[in-house]
Amino acid sequence: MKSALEIKSDISYKSAGKFEETRFEKIHNEIFKNSVEASKVVAQEIAQLIRSKQENNQSCVLGLATGSSPVKVYEELVRMHREEGLSFSNVITFNLDEYYPMSRESNKSYFHFMHEHLFNHIDIKPENINIPDGTVTIDEINQYCIDYEMNIKNAGGLDFQLLGIGRTGHVGFNEPGSHINSGTRIITLDHITRIDASSDFNGIDNVPKRAITMGVSTILRSKRIVLMAWGQNKADIIKRTIQGEISSIIPATFLQNHCNATFVLDQSAASELTRFKTPWLVGECIWTQELKSKAIVWLCQKTKQSILKLTDRDYNNNGMSDLLAQEGSAYDMNINMFNVLQHTITGWPGGKPNTDDSFRPERANPAIKRIILFSPHPDDDVISMGGTFSKLIKQGHDIHVVYQTSGNIAVTDDEALKFAEVCSDFIGTDGTDINFKEVIAFLNNKSENQIDSLEVRKLKGLIRRRESYAAVRYIGLKDENVHFLDLPFYETGQVKKNPLGQVDVEIVKDIITKIKPHQVFAAGDLADPHGTHEVCLNAIFAAMGALKSQLFMNDCWLWLYRGAWHEWDIHEIDMAVPLSPSEVLLKRHAILYHQSQKDRVMFQGNDSREFWVRAEDRNKNTAILYDDLGLAEYEAIEAFKRFDY
């Protein structure tokens, strides 16, 4: 059997940074710029394996995964089938798992997922598809699982196993506590796993509590294993899996025992690995300004000292002696770093008029700026930068808030029914293009897998729209400066969205061209559980890139905000906007105008707090970090990073 490194050269993995063995890492991993690039390479390996088996007149046995991680791999395999003639006629597949109980007809089933994303689009023989059956009776399930294992064995064993990883460290549905010798079986799902799946089931109460899964030993018998992980949400569990001790508490660590396993990661998922998080602990570094800032902030947090109190000994004792030698003295380095951070702080996010702006994050001129605040959902504006939004209005700037999607899928059926019943009782069907009696009938008779009717989606979108008007009116924005794009990629009526299209980009281009902004604020928080933020940001990047030659774009700066799920690290912040206690309270009240998103957030990710609590805690924590570093003490801080498009 080939080693992981030999396999690596065969499949031409080209990572963002050359893989280097370190004393911290125990599993071979490859890092890519993004999941699209990585998924294509994984698909190429699978295709190469299929073709090599075909040349030898052999079956190719694949173990397949579900979830968001492998979707782009399946898309690429389908493309290769259609455009390059890749045949799956010799392929036998075994899926890792299925919810229990679960009907195959349900659009929540993995049977449905696999056919939607792969099997319906290729020439695989139906009899060669094996997916655990979520309808097997409980008294038959033990024998069913034994038979599933035997079917894998009789097929010749798994040639290739594709894996994702859950936040609990599960592979398949092997939750914490799973034994290394475990086989295919029924298992109770961890609460965190059910929380992560809750958005797909419209609430945790609808998520099955059990599942059928291949066992750890079944997976480890695979000849080749590739585990994929994308995004910041997976960074912590990836570090614990790759660098931690083998333990049933994190079942994915058992992969350390496999001689032919590779983790394929994007940069966000790899960001907590020691060689990326604190590379000075691994070896010599090229000390860029960004890396120096990152290291000094880390050193302050580790030693619990402010910047100006760091000593030569602190640097030498924490793997940064080469930086100290390069810079000459801790004193000079500390002063420089203090000034860098000090210059990020401003109460004038649109620039302070008639002032030297040499060391300010924004330009003084023009004194009154045209500004676009892009908000992916109809509440990201006030959640992530409500205080800054208010300052920009008070300081006289011509700011326009642009909501990129309707946000209709984030409104619960109960909430929509409440509004429909009130409207029906009050005005009947007069004066509106929504037939509320039809909406009420639809919602009262809606089946489990049914997509909302157009009328229901209109109502849910209208609820979000009116909440948005109320929120921005509260902080002082005029109605004529509010825009709703309703980008088509989002309007599917279900959690799964369409890919970003040229029509979406053109709509964003049109609003930018109309306003000709000096500043654009956009959501750079890509931890959104269903990727809407990323698609919306890509639409802005594509639009601004296409408009770059326009004269007005020479004066347009792009600022990225976070705050709904994560905040920028201190060393990443280019503009820190302090908030007073009254501005924090104003921001809270603006968020609370989004009543449909209060108490029952449908897509909150791995954070159970309400959005206003998350935002407040993050803003206050950022202020505490600045204070701990020895800078001014503020009630809260909203943070931004400038992006050169």
Side-chain angles (χ1 to χ4, degrees), residues 23 42 88 110-111 145 157 170 204 282 300 331 372 418 503 550 625:
R23 56 193 171 96
V42 174
F88 291 78
Y110 287 160
F111 182 92
C145 291
H170 69 236
I204 192 169
V282 176
C300 289
Y331 178 82
I372 293 178
K418 176 182 71 176
V503 174
Q550 298 292 315
L625 288 172

Side-chain angles (χ1 to χ4, degrees), residues 210-394:
R210 294 181 290 181
I212 300 172
T213 183
M214 279 189 200
V216 175
S217 67
T218 319
I219 293 169
L220 290 178
R221 285 195 295 271
S222 305
K223 300 177 183 71
R224 169 74 168 141
I225 296 175
V226 170
L227 184 149
M228 301 178 300
W230 323 129
Q232 188 68 40
N233 285 342
K234 297 295 176 69
D236 180 64
I237 196 62
I238 286 295
K239 177 183 178 180
R240 295 168 68 192
T241 299
I242 291 177
Q243 297 187 185
E245 298 300 318
I246 295 175
S247 169
S248 63
I249 296 173
I250 302 176
T253 57
F254 289 128
L255 296 174
Q256 293 179 20
N257 287 326
H258 199 279
C259 64
N260 196 5
T262 295
F263 280 34
V264 177
L265 314 170
D266 66 4
Q267 292 176 347
S268 295
S271 61
E272 290 294 322
L273 294 177
T274 300
R275 62 182 163 118
F276 294 105
K277 186 75 172 180
T278 52
W280 50 89
L281 299 179
V282 176
E284 292 187 1
C285 299
I286 298 174
W287 289 102
T288 62
Q289 180 57 52
E290 182 179 2
L291 188 58
K292 282 193 287 187
S293 299
K294 182 178 184 179
I296 294 171
V297 170
W298 171 84
L299 184 58
C300 289
Q301 293 171 331
K302 187 174 188 299
T303 61
K304 295 182 171 57
Q305 296 185 100
S306 63
I307 295 172
L308 298 179
K309 289 184 178 180
L310 295 174
T311 66
D312 289 359
R313 178 175 293 180
D314 292 323
Y315 284 95
N316 286 329
N317 289 349
N318 289 281
M320 298 162 67
S321 57
D322 57 333
L323 174 60
L324 185 62
Q326 174 182 307
E327 298 295 321
S329 75
Y331 178 82
D332 291 337
M333 191 157 41
N334 295 344
I335 289 288
N336 290 336
M337 184 63 205
F338 183 89
N339 288 335
V340 167
L341 289 179
Q342 181 67 44
H343 294 152
T344 66
I345 301 172
T346 181
W348 297 82
K352 188 172 183 179
N354 305 314
T355 305
D356 179 8
D357 58 12
S358 304
F359 298 106
R360 290 181 172 273
E362 248 298 350
R363 304 149 290 173
N365 295 313
I368 302 301
K369 292 181 172 66
R370 291 185 302 275
I371 300 169
I372 293 178
L373 196 177
F374 280 110
S375 181
H377 301 97
D379 56 1
D380 290 308
D381 54 335
V382 289
I383 288 172
S384 298
M385 55 172 290
T388 302
F389 191 178
S390 174
K391 283 183 185 292
L392 290 167
I393 294 171
K394 290 176 181 176

Side-chain angles (χ1 to χ4, degrees), residues 61-258:
V61 186
L62 302 179
L64 300 180
T66 50
S68 59
S69 298
V71 167
K72 291 182 176 65
V73 172
Y74 298 149
E75 288 178 359
E76 179 65 9
L77 289 172
V78 170
R79 187 201 64 77
M80 286 192 278
H81 170 69
R82 289 175 174 169
E83 299 179 12
E84 299 175 9
L86 176 65
S87 174
F88 291 78
S89 59
N90 69 319
V91 173
I92 301 172
T93 66
F94 289 89
N95 262 77
L96 280 165
D97 42 30
E98 177 62 280
Y99 289 109
Y100 185 87
M102 180 59 66
S103 161
R104 288 186 169 184
E105 287 70 36
S106 171
N107 63 2
K108 309 294 192 301
S109 72
Y110 287 160
F111 182 92
H112 178 272
F113 176 97
M114 290 304 306
H115 284 78
E116 178 184 22
H117 290 285
L118 183 63
F119 297 147
N120 287 344
H121 313 289
I122 59 176
D123 62 339
I124 190 170
K125 298 174 183 176
E127 62 268 24
N128 286 350
I129 298 172
N130 298 275
I131 302 172
D133 187 351
T135 66
V136 176
T137 61
I138 195 67
D139 57 329
E140 296 175 331
I141 204 161
N142 186 51
Q143 186 58 50
Y144 176 83
C145 291
I146 293 172
D147 293 343
Y148 200 79
E149 290 274 339
M150 288 303 300
N151 289 339
I152 295 173
K153 183 177 180 180
N154 292 338
L158 297 171
D159 295 307
F160 182 101
Q161 177 64 65
L162 191 64
L163 295 174
I165 185 170
R167 284 196 300 127
T168 63
H170 69 236
V171 285
F173 273 133
N174 291 285
E175 297 285 17
S178 295
H179 196 274
I180 192 171
N181 293 326
S182 58
T184 301
R185 67 203 186 283
I186 189 168
I187 192 167
T188 299
L189 297 178
D190 189 276
H191 181 68
I192 293 176
T193 299
R194 295 182 67 237
I195 288 174
D196 288 348
S198 62
S199 58
D200 293 327
F201 287 84
N202 294 322
I204 192 169
D205 293 341
N206 302 318
V207 181
K209 294 182 178 180
R210 294 181 290 181
I212 300 172
T213 183
M214 279 189 200
V216 175
S217 67
T218 319
I219 293 169
L220 290 178
R221 285 195 295 271
S222 305
K223 300 177 183 71
R224 169 74 168 141
I225 296 175
V226 170
L227 184 149
M228 301 178 300
W230 323 129
Q232 188 68 40
N233 285 342
K234 297 295 176 69
D236 180 64
I237 196 62
I238 286 295
K239 177 183 178 180
R240 295 168 68 192
T241 299
I242 291 177
Q243 297 187 185
E245 298 300 318
I246 295 175
S247 169
S248 63
I249 296 173
I250 302 176
T253 57
F254 289 128
L255 296 174
Q256 293 179 20
N257 287 326
H258 199 279

Side-chain angles (χ1 to χ4, degrees), residues 469-490:
Y469 272 117
V472 297
R473 283 171 187 158
Y474 178 73
I475 59 176
L477 192 69
K478 298 177 293 185
D479 284 4
E480 56 263 35
N481 282 30
V482 180
H483 310 268
F484 295 89
L485 301 187
D486 293 340
L487 293 181
F489 84 88
Y490 183 90

Side-chain angles (χ1 to χ4, degrees), residues 11-68:
I11 63 174
S12 300
Y13 280 110
K14 295 180 181 178
S15 58
K18 184 179 179 182
F19 176 77
E20 56 180 306
E21 294 288 332
T22 78
R23 56 193 171 96
F24 297 99
E25 297 177 16
K26 302 171 184 177
I27 300 177
H28 170 236
N29 57 87
E30 291 290 343
I31 319 301
F32 291 80
K33 182 178 180 181
N34 56 57
S35 61
V36 174
E37 177 187 334
S39 296
K40 288 181 179 179
V41 174
V42 174
Q44 288 166 7
E45 178 180 358
I46 294 172
Q48 179 180 315
L49 177 63
I50 292 171
R51 289 180 175 125
S52 67
K53 291 282 188 177
Q54 286 170 346
E55 291 172 0
N56 294 309
N57 199 29
Q58 296 174 336
S59 296
C60 180
V61 186
L62 302 179
L64 300 180
T66 50
S68 59

